[in-house]
Each structure stands twice: as structure tokens, then as C-alpha cells.
Amino acid sequence: MSKNTKIVLSLLALVLALIAVPLILKPSAEFGGSDDAGAQMVEEIQEGYEPWATPVLEQAIGGELPGELESLLFCVQTGIGVGVLGFGFGYFVARKKFGGDKEKRA
């Protein structure tokens, strides 16, 4: 087995351990997002706090978004961001690889 294969396998094992250990140690725990934690902290500090802004899509449909739709929109947003980053990195790599030095071509 090559050195790179050993590194990749050990990193995969580490990632799996990072996923499994919290689920094994606290199987009934709720793993909420930072939005939930922030809202709870604000409610503890100032009871009855009214947010001064509401999400645009919630206003458009007149209620909260279903969880599936909210997850879908988050995934689409993530995909667009990854696409932009990938395009940018690819552009710079290709420019360096194929562009060369402008003085050499002149």
C-alpha cells in the first residue's frame, strides 16, 4: 500500500470517528443548528424579543417554510457557492498553466 493510500484511509477513518463518537456517546441528544442556539440565547437574555426582520420567502408565502424546502434552498445556495469557488480556482490554475508569461509571447 502506498503512502498516499495510507494517508487517505487514515483520514477517512478519522472522519468516520468524528461522526460516530458524538452519536454513540449521546444517542438521544439534539444536534441543532446555530440559528436555534442563537434564538434561544436571545430569548434567555430578553424575554419577548420581536425580530425586526423576517425572511423574504416566509413573507411571500405567509408562513414558515417547510423543512424540506428550507433544506433544498440551503443546498442550492451551497451548490452555487461551490460552483463559483470551483470556477475561480479553475480559472486561476488554467491561467497559470496555459497563460504563461505575457512577455514570453510578445
Side-chain angles (χ1 to χ4, degrees):
M1 202 180 319
S2 71
K3 182 178 177 181
N4 286 341
T5 305
K6 289 179 184 178
I7 291 173
V8 169
L9 290 176
S10 61
L11 288 174
L12 284 173
L14 180 65
V15 168
L16 290 174
L18 285 172
I19 293 170
V21 168
L23 296 175
I24 292 170
L25 293 179
K26 295 200 176 232
S28 62
E30 290 185 27
F31 296 100
S34 61
D35 293 344
D36 297 335
Q40 289 174 357
M41 186 60 72
V42 168
E43 189 65 33
E44 286 178 17
I45 294 171
Q46 184 177 358
E47 292 181 20
Y49 174 78
E50 290 288 326
W52 54 272
T54 57
V56 175
L57 286 176
E58 286 184 8
Q59 289 178 349
I61 65 170
E64 285 194 23
L65 293 173
E68 297 83 14
L69 182 59
E70 190 174 347
S71 296
L72 173 68
L73 292 174
F74 181 76
C75 290
V76 169
Q77 176 185 351
T78 303
I80 291 170
V82 167
V84 168
L85 282 174
F87 177 80
F89 287 137
Y91 174 79
F92 287 122
V93 167
R95 186 176 74 172
K96 185 176 181 181
K97 185 176 182 180
F98 299 116
D101 198 2
K102 290 182 180 180
E103 294 174 4
K104 288 181 184 176
R105 287 187 271 159

